[in-house]
Structures are given as C-alpha cells and as structure tokens.
C-alpha cells in the first residue's frame, strides 16, 4: 500500500520558511503585529468618522473606540512579548533552581549524582538570572534557536517524505487478484 508524502513536503516547506523568517529576520514578527494593529486602528477610526457623519448611535461609537484600543494593544504587543516572556521564564527558572537546590541539600543521594544535579541547578539558576536581567538578549537568542530548530524539523520532514517515496517505489502494486 502506498502512502502519500505530500503532507510531509508541505510541513517541511512551511517549517523551513517559518524558521528562516523567525530565526534570521528579527523584525518580521513585530512587523506582522504592526500591520495587523494598524489595520485595526485605521478601520476603527474610519468606522468612527463614518458613524459621526451619519449620526450614529452609541453602540457604533463604543465599538469603534474599543477597536482603536484593541488596535493600540496589538501595536504594543511585540514589545510586551519580547520583554515579558523572558522575564517570566527567568522567574520560573530561578524558583525551580532554588527548589532543586533545597531538595538536593535535604536529600541523602549518591555524591556523584548530587554533583551533577548541583551543576544543572546552578546552570539553571544562572540562566534564570540572565533571562531576568537581559530579556532582550535572551529573547534574541531564543528566537534564533527556535528558528534553527524549525529549519531542522523541516529538513527532517523532507527526509521522511524521501523515505516514504523510496518505500512507495519498492512496494507492491495495490492490485489484488482474486
């Protein structure tokens, strides 16, 4: 029985294109938010101005103003995300590292295992502090790593599609003689 590999090819293309855009074009995500936010603000302003000229009721004015506020929030969202996510992740990593360290000092495990766990806990604590105090640098590093991972996943999907194609060539036909 033959298997279709078109899904893997489509996923591979999508992942590679997205990975390149996210990993190596840093402002592409911010521009998408700016374009969407600008469209929301402009359409809401035009709706408000058109409603004022035609004698609108309070519902249209309220929804226009709400649309303008939502558009401004969407415009500000890239900065909030680029700073907020690393700071929250840094706080989570710091608390997790502290809990691991306290559990490590309370337990009576193997000394070699304690050294490894201590090393990972201290590295996690250092990374959490780095995220907390350098959110922009950490966000850029995370963006590049995510882009590279997406490219690698896209290449893997192409490999799976190639193996499916190879298997389909070697398979028997779907004809069943009775």
């Amino acid at each position: 029985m033959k298997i279709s590999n078109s899904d893997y090819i489509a996923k591979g293309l999508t992942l590679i294109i997205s990975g390149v855009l996210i990993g190596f074009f840093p402002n592409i995500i911010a521009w998408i938010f700016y374009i969407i936010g600008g469209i929301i603000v402009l359409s809401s302003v035009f709706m408000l101005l058109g409603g004022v000229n035609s004698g609108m009721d309070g519902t249209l004015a309220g929804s226009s103003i709400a649309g303008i506020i939502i558009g401004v929030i969407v415009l500000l969202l890239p900065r909030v995300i680029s700073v907020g996510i690393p700071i929250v992740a840094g706080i989570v990593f710091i608390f997790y590292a502290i809990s691991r360290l306290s559990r490590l000092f309370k337990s009576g495990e193997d000394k070699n295992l304690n050294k490894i766990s201590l090393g990972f806990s201290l590295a996690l604590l250092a990374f959490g502090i780095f995220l907390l105090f350098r959110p922009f640098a950490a966000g850029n590093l995370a963006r590049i790593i995510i882009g590279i991972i997406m490219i690698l996943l896209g290449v893997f999907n192409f490999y799976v599609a190639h193996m499916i194609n190879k298997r389909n060539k070697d398979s028997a036909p779907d004809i069943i003689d009775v």
Side-chain angles (χ1 to χ4, degrees), residues 2-95:
K2 294 187 178 189
I3 301 171
S4 174
N5 62 355
S6 60
D7 289 344
Y8 292 101
I9 293 172
K11 279 193 280 188
L13 278 173
T14 304
L15 283 168
I16 288 176
I17 291 170
S18 300
V20 168
L21 289 176
I22 289 172
F24 303 108
F25 295 98
N27 294 329
I28 194 79
I29 297 171
W31 278 107
I32 291 170
F33 277 103
Y34 295 151
I35 290 169
I36 292 171
I39 290 170
I40 293 171
V41 168
L42 285 176
S43 64
S44 297
V45 166
F46 287 140
M47 186 170 65
L48 183 66
L49 292 175
V52 167
N53 290 337
S54 65
M56 72 172 143
D57 60 346
T59 308
L60 188 59
S63 62
S64 299
I65 292 171
I68 293 170
I69 292 170
I70 290 171
V72 170
I73 290 171
V74 170
L75 286 169
L76 296 175
L77 206 55
R79 275 303 195 204
V80 171
I81 290 173
S82 66
V83 174
I85 290 175
I87 289 175
V88 170
I91 292 170
V92 169
F93 288 163
I94 288 171
F95 280 116

Side-chain angles (χ1 to χ4, degrees), residues 112-124:
N112 290 331
L113 187 61
N114 279 348
K115 289 178 186 177
I116 294 170
S117 185
L118 177 67
F120 281 126
S121 297
L122 290 176
L124 188 62

Side-chain angles (χ1 to χ4, degrees), residues 39 59 94 106 110-111 123 156-157 160:
I39 290 170
T59 308
I94 288 171
K106 290 179 184 176
D110 182 28
K111 294 294 181 191
F156 176 73
N157 274 293
V160 170

Side-chain angles (χ1 to χ4, degrees), residues 12 14-16 18-19 22 145-155:
T14 304
L15 283 168
I16 288 176
S18 300
I22 289 172
I145 290 171
I146 289 170
I148 291 171
I149 289 171
M150 289 175 75
I151 291 169
L152 292 174
L153 285 172
V155 170

